[in-house]
Amino acid sequence: MSNTRLTRKNFLQSMLALGVAACIAPMSAVAADAYPNRPIRLVVPFAPGGNTDLMARILGQSLSEELGQPVVVENVAGANGSIGASRVASAAKDGYTLLFGTAGTQAINQSLYKSLSEKNLDDYEYLGLVAYIPNILVVNESRVPAKNVAEFVEFAKQQAEGLSYGSPGAGSTIHLSAEMLGTTADLSLLHVPYRGSAPALSDLMGAQLDFIFENITPAMPFVTSGKLKALAVASEERVAALPDVPTMIESGYDNFVTGTWNGVLAPKGTPAEITERISAAVIKSAQDPDFQKKVAEMGGQPRAMPPAEFKRYTQDEYKRWNAVIEAAGVEKM
């Protein structure tokens, strides 16, 4: 008699489990199909007003149109972007918290911070690269009377105490570009870190610094107005917005290509149905002529790199910047 009751109980439990599973499966499918049904956060791991912030807001508008929901840019600055990036890596895997990643967060910090490593690159789903922003070497001619890179290097070597340069912080592409030139040309340089590009550019114009390797976007208005002198762009080819400014390669420095880039990432483990939907929207936005025009006006180079290629690119960038950091002897933090 007890065996009969036990069997009947097991039967009822099995039927109940099957019923629950049958309900859950369609609900999961509906949840994926319904994505997104509320606003999406796009985390910018730097302060408002900078190059990455401006690019994120341009992309956010396009993504909002593609996904049918508001894309809200949230600035979470600190530690060369690693604080904001870490916050996204540990966020819910539901597609509502995304990272607007950069060369710093995805390729440099892993070699710079003791708490990170190359393994950190696997904490994300790579959804698409959208833009590349080259760096540009600018000087205040009242302090550095140079018309080109050769004259800059010659002048620098004549200064007993070396030249000073600013950056928005240790480990930024701006800092590492200057260190790269110092290593290559055997220059003595003094690094002056700031809390952002704006105060560094202000001090350069105020003749309190000698030069900066700045992202082209914030530097370009000062170059076009004549307040600062551009000696070279660190891109493979000349920038359309500044056609008369030669590249570092043209200036005699082979393979001197530095800058930052921007792409969209999600926490590792976000369902494929969701990442595929976001990725399609990211790539479509990056290919939009209006977006590309705005990027070019900022001095950037539009990109529309799909997930697998974006991930490989990030890994190659990690290796390249790690070599720069080791050659310059930059101390880990």
Side-chain angles (χ1 to χ4, degrees):
M1 191 71 177
S2 60
N3 287 341
T4 302
R5 285 196 296 270
L6 182 60
T7 301
R8 186 175 299 161
K9 180 180 179 181
N10 289 344
F11 173 77
L12 292 173
Q13 289 177 334
S14 299
M15 292 302 292
L16 179 61
L18 287 172
V20 171
C23 292
I24 290 176
M27 287 175 65
S28 298
V30 169
D33 289 341
Y35 176 87
N37 55 27
R38 55 188 171 88
I40 300 165
R41 288 192 306 152
L42 181 60
V43 174
V44 171
F46 298 97
N51 171 77
T52 300
D53 180 65
L54 295 174
M55 193 71 69
R57 294 178 190 280
I58 294 172
L59 180 68
Q61 292 177 354
S62 183
L63 284 180
S64 180
E65 294 174 4
E66 291 296 327
L67 296 171
Q69 288 290 337
V71 174
V72 181
V73 172
E74 179 181 343
N75 299 89
V76 183
N80 198 35
S82 63
I83 293 177
S86 298
R87 185 171 298 184
V88 173
S90 60
K93 309 176 195 319
D94 56 9
Y96 289 99
T97 302
L98 306 175
L99 174 67
F100 200 52
T102 69
T105 62
Q106 306 308 125
I108 293 175
N109 289 348
Q110 292 72 19
S111 298
L112 195 66
Y113 289 90
K114 296 176 182 179
S115 60
L116 299 177
S117 70
E118 185 179 3
K119 294 179 180 179
N120 173 252
L121 299 178
D122 291 326
D123 289 343
Y124 307 90
E125 302 290 348
Y126 292 74
L127 308 183
L129 185 73
V130 299
Y132 183 87
I133 309 294
N135 288 339
I136 185 169
L137 173 58
V138 292
V139 300
N140 184 322
E141 290 185 279
S142 69
R143 285 182 62 111
V144 181
K147 302 297 183 184
N148 52 54
V149 178
E151 291 182 5
F152 172 86
V153 171
E154 182 180 359
F155 178 81
K157 289 186 175 181
Q158 294 173 353
Q159 309 310 304
E161 297 181 358
L163 298 183
S164 62
Y165 71 93
S167 85
S172 62
T173 65
I174 297 167
H175 166 225
L176 295 179
S177 294
E179 290 298 318
M180 186 173 172
L181 179 59
T183 301
T184 306
D186 192 25
L187 302 178
S188 176
L189 303 174
L190 173 63
H191 177 214
V192 183
Y194 288 79
R195 291 185 177 180
S197 291
L201 283 167
S202 178
D203 275 3
L204 180 62
M205 287 186 290
Q208 297 179 54
L209 293 172
D210 294 310
F211 75 98
I212 289 181
F213 258 106
E214 181 58 88
N215 294 152
I216 194 170
T217 302
M220 194 159 58
F222 303 107
V223 172
T224 55
S225 67
K227 294 179 180 178
L228 295 175
K229 172 68 175 178
L231 302 184
V233 290
S235 52
E236 294 179 349
E237 299 178 352
R238 294 194 183 195
V239 174
L242 297 172
D244 296 329
V245 180
T247 65
M248 287 294 293
I249 296 174
E250 290 177 293
S251 302
Y253 292 83
D254 294 341
N255 302 316
F256 200 112
V257 178
T258 70
T260 191
W261 38 261
N262 298 121
V264 180
L265 305 98
K268 184 72 173 180
T270 302
E273 296 88 348
I274 292 176
T275 58
E276 288 171 3
R277 183 166 297 186
I278 302 171
S279 180
V282 169
I283 298 302
K284 187 174 180 180
S285 296
Q287 293 173 332
D288 180 74
D290 185 56
F291 174 81
Q292 295 188 344
K293 179 183 177 182
K294 290 177 180 177
V295 171
E297 289 174 348
M298 294 171 64
Q301 301 168 354
R303 302 281 174 92
M305 192 179 290
E309 187 178 351
F310 178 25
K311 186 173 184 178
R312 287 194 299 271
Y313 177 76
T314 299
Q315 293 168 336
D316 290 341
E317 280 283 276
Y318 162 76
K319 294 174 183 177
R320 189 170 73 89
W321 283 113
N322 183 63
V324 171
I325 289 169
E326 290 186 351
V330 178
E331 187 177 353
K332 280 203 170 190
M333 292 181 278

